[in-house]
Amino acid sequence: MPANAYVAVVLYEATSDSPTYEPLYREDFVLVYAESEEAAGEAVARRVEGETGSHRNEQGELITLRCKRVVDVARALEDDLTRDADLYARHFRDFAAYRRFEPLTAD
């Protein structure tokens, strides 16, 4: 069975041992190639494991990055990724909630 393209949405959280640090969240869209959705999920889990860990920032604070959740793993919307292509789509009904979350939608 040939490998197919899958897109995963992964949510990370960065925390610190500093009492003034506010958690920072990062949403990644990851492309993996796998023979099945299950294999794609396993590939994403391996990538997530490689991304998590701790380091010291310029101020000497311990910053820890961890995966909060793999939000979704879905087959790419198009098979030919050698040209412009749609990769992934999500649907929602509450645009006001989305605007509160996504600052780039501000008018």
Side-chain angles (χ1 to χ4, degrees):
M1 175 182 269
N4 295 304
Y6 288 84
V7 177
V9 181
V10 183
L11 179 63
Y12 291 96
E13 177 185 44
T15 58
S16 174
D17 61 354
S18 170
T20 60
Y21 187 90
E22 292 185 37
L24 179 65
Y25 298 92
R26 181 179 100 195
E27 184 179 48
D28 287 8
F29 292 81
V30 177
L31 178 65
V32 297
Y33 289 89
E35 294 180 2
S36 68
E37 189 169 327
E38 180 181 344
E42 293 167 1
V44 170
R46 287 190 300 276
R47 288 183 62 93
V48 164
E49 187 176 315
E51 286 287 315
T52 58
S54 299
H55 71 278
R56 296 263 174 209
N57 67 10
E58 294 172 356
Q59 293 76 34
E61 301 164 335
L62 184 65
I63 305 297
T64 300
L65 182 68
R66 72 179 186 93
C67 177
K68 288 285 283 183
R69 179 177 311 253
V70 175
V71 177
D72 195 13
V73 177
R75 182 127 178 236
L77 295 177
E78 295 185 29
D79 292 325
D80 184 359
L81 300 181
T82 62
R83 58 180 177 74
D84 294 353
D86 292 326
L87 295 179
Y88 180 82
R90 289 198 291 191
H91 300 87
F92 57 92
R93 296 191 187 281
D94 190 342
F95 185 66
Y98 183 81
R99 287 191 68 169
R100 284 190 302 276
F101 158 75
E102 179 51 70
L104 298 177
T105 61
D107 293 331

